[in-house]
Amino acid sequence: MDTSSHLLFGITLVGLAYLDPAVSANPDVAHALIAASLLGSNAPDFDAVTRFKGYACYVRHHRGLTHSLPALFIWPAVISLPIALLSGVMNHLTTLYFWTFIAVAFHVLLDLFNAYGVQCFRPISNKWVHLDTLSLYEPFLFMIHLISVMLWIFTPISPQWIFSSLYSATFLFILIRWFNHQSVVKRITTTLNIDGLCQVVPSLHWFRWQFVVETEDFFYTGKTHYTKITLLDRYPKAYSSDVIEATKATDGVRAFLHFAQKVHVSFTKKQDGYEVKWRDVRFWYNHKLPFGVDVQLDQNLSVTSSTIGWSKKSWDPPYV
């Protein structure tokens, strides 16, 4: 999810930790846990530093090793040990480690439910896993977590009651959204009667989804609004040509193919060469495919330039 949500969830996890007597009975541990939980809730996204080496490097590494199975255990150790030392609560290191682990694991879990996905089973599998249930930013989750923090600060209600109720509501919401997602996939498959694999991507609206159906030769895109299903565009699947093959060795295309799952590629003849566009159809918006790589070639099929990234405003869907 987005950074602001992860930060907020880091705070509410501290409130939830008051269910642990070692936290609620010891203010020093609670104070140490604030830093540990905030760091743990954002640690997997520290891979953002790879942007300094270019967006291709970022695409290749984002939500990879930092979200992997070993990272679930390494991040809590890296975070909790120095905080315990600096805070003088080494005798409660196990408690600090446990709740930092919860913060890291919750971060990865939320990313798993997003359409972008995570490589959370590395090193066992490098497969991108995504449950396509939650947007990058979920207004409902953000609001109930923010309200809970306000109740904690400004009312005498016990944090144990506030945050146990909050996280019960959080997981119930995710479960309802998941069942809703499953029903939308089934309805699209039944209604369109297209023999293919259907992927549904959430929006900020609970009852609006966009989808891609992949068949042997095409990708079909469309959207749903409550029970109404609208089929919009059709894109041919990736094919081969000398022009396209000439772009595969570029760093941007290799990074893109490492991540992309529904690949559409096309090229246009220009006066001074060719332009090749690689796109991931999963992330379509407004009849366009905003995520991919643009590669410029000269007449001899030598690459002259390459750009990778999003060609949309940050507030436009899809929210991944």
Side-chain angles (χ1 to χ4, degrees):
M1 301 193 81
D2 68 296
T3 303
S4 60
S5 295
H6 284 309
L7 282 170
L8 179 59
F9 299 156
I11 296 171
T12 59
L13 279 171
V14 176
L16 184 67
Y18 272 76
L19 291 170
D20 186 339
V23 177
S24 58
N26 193 324
D28 290 336
V29 175
H31 293 154
L33 186 57
I34 293 173
S37 183
L38 286 171
L39 287 171
S41 290
N42 288 273
D45 282 347
F46 290 168
D47 57 18
V49 298
T50 57
R51 283 190 185 230
F52 291 113
K53 295 189 67 175
Y55 200 79
C57 183
Y58 176 72
V59 169
R60 187 178 286 112
H61 295 288
H62 183 47
R63 296 193 185 180
L65 283 175
T66 57
H67 291 64
S68 65
L69 288 174
L72 291 177
F73 302 94
I74 294 172
W75 283 124
V78 169
I79 293 168
S80 62
L81 181 58
I83 290 177
L85 283 168
L86 291 171
S87 303
V89 291
M90 277 298 294
N91 55 325
H92 291 284
L93 177 60
T94 303
T95 299
L96 209 59
Y97 180 94
F98 173 76
W99 285 104
T100 308
F101 172 83
I102 295 297
V104 173
F106 190 52
H107 176 119
V108 175
L109 179 69
L110 290 171
D111 285 352
L112 174 64
F113 276 93
N114 180 244
Y116 191 100
V118 287
Q119 291 180 298
C120 56
F121 293 114
R122 292 179 67 172
I124 298 172
S125 170
N126 288 342
K127 182 179 179 181
W128 285 91
V129 187
H130 47 90
L131 299 182
D132 308 325
T133 302
L134 301 176
S135 292
L136 182 68
Y137 171 76
E138 282 289 344
F140 176 76
L141 289 182
F142 192 89
M143 287 307 301
I144 63 172
H145 280 257
L146 182 61
I147 290 170
S148 296
V149 172
M150 295 297 102
L151 289 174
W152 186 20
I153 296 172
F154 297 112
T155 73
I157 304 174
S158 70
Q160 292 91 334
W161 187 91
I162 293 173
F163 294 104
S164 60
S165 301
L166 170 66
Y167 274 89
S168 296
T170 296
F171 285 107
L172 179 61
F173 172 78
I174 295 173
L175 185 63
I176 291 171
R177 287 282 278 170
W178 185 82
F179 276 114
N180 188 15
H181 169 269
Q182 295 300 104
S183 68
V184 170
V185 171
K186 184 176 180 180
R187 188 165 67 248
I188 291 170
T189 304
T190 303
T191 303
L192 296 182
N193 196 27
I194 297 176
D195 186 18
L197 180 65
C198 178
Q199 179 180 356
V200 174
V201 176
S203 70
L204 296 181
H205 191 291
W206 289 0
F207 301 104
R208 291 181 181 176
W209 305 74
Q210 62 184 55
F211 64 85
V212 179
V213 177
E214 178 182 359
T215 67
E216 187 175 348
D217 299 311
F218 296 99
F219 297 110
Y220 296 87
T221 64
K223 60 184 180 180
T224 71
H225 185 198
Y226 292 95
T227 59
K228 182 182 179 181
I229 298 173
T230 306
L231 197 61
L232 296 174
D233 298 303
R234 186 181 74 171
Y235 299 93
K237 299 183 76 170
Y239 64 95
S240 182
S241 76
D242 290 341
V243 177
I244 292 171
E245 289 296 320
T247 67
K248 287 187 176 180
T250 64
D251 188 48
V253 172
R254 286 188 284 114
F256 171 79
L257 293 177
H258 160 77
F259 165 73
Q261 296 182 12
K262 300 189 184 301
V263 178
H264 166 70
V265 60
S266 62
F267 70 89
T268 306
K269 180 74 170 70
K270 302 287 186 179
Q271 187 174 1
D272 56 348
Y274 301 89
E275 180 181 45
V276 180
K277 294 186 175 184
W278 294 85
R279 293 293 184 268
D280 193 332
V281 185
R282 289 182 296 164
F283 307 131
W284 69 269
Y285 169 63
N286 196 25
H287 303 281
K288 297 177 182 179
L289 304 176
F291 179 74
V293 191
D294 294 337
V295 186
Q296 309 295 327
L297 303 98
D298 61 21
Q299 297 283 4
N300 298 318
L301 302 186
S302 297
V303 174
T304 58
S305 66
S306 174
T307 57
I308 180 173
W310 292 90
S311 56
K312 74 177 185 72
K313 296 180 176 64
S314 59
W315 54 84
D316 287 335
Y319 304 105
V320 296

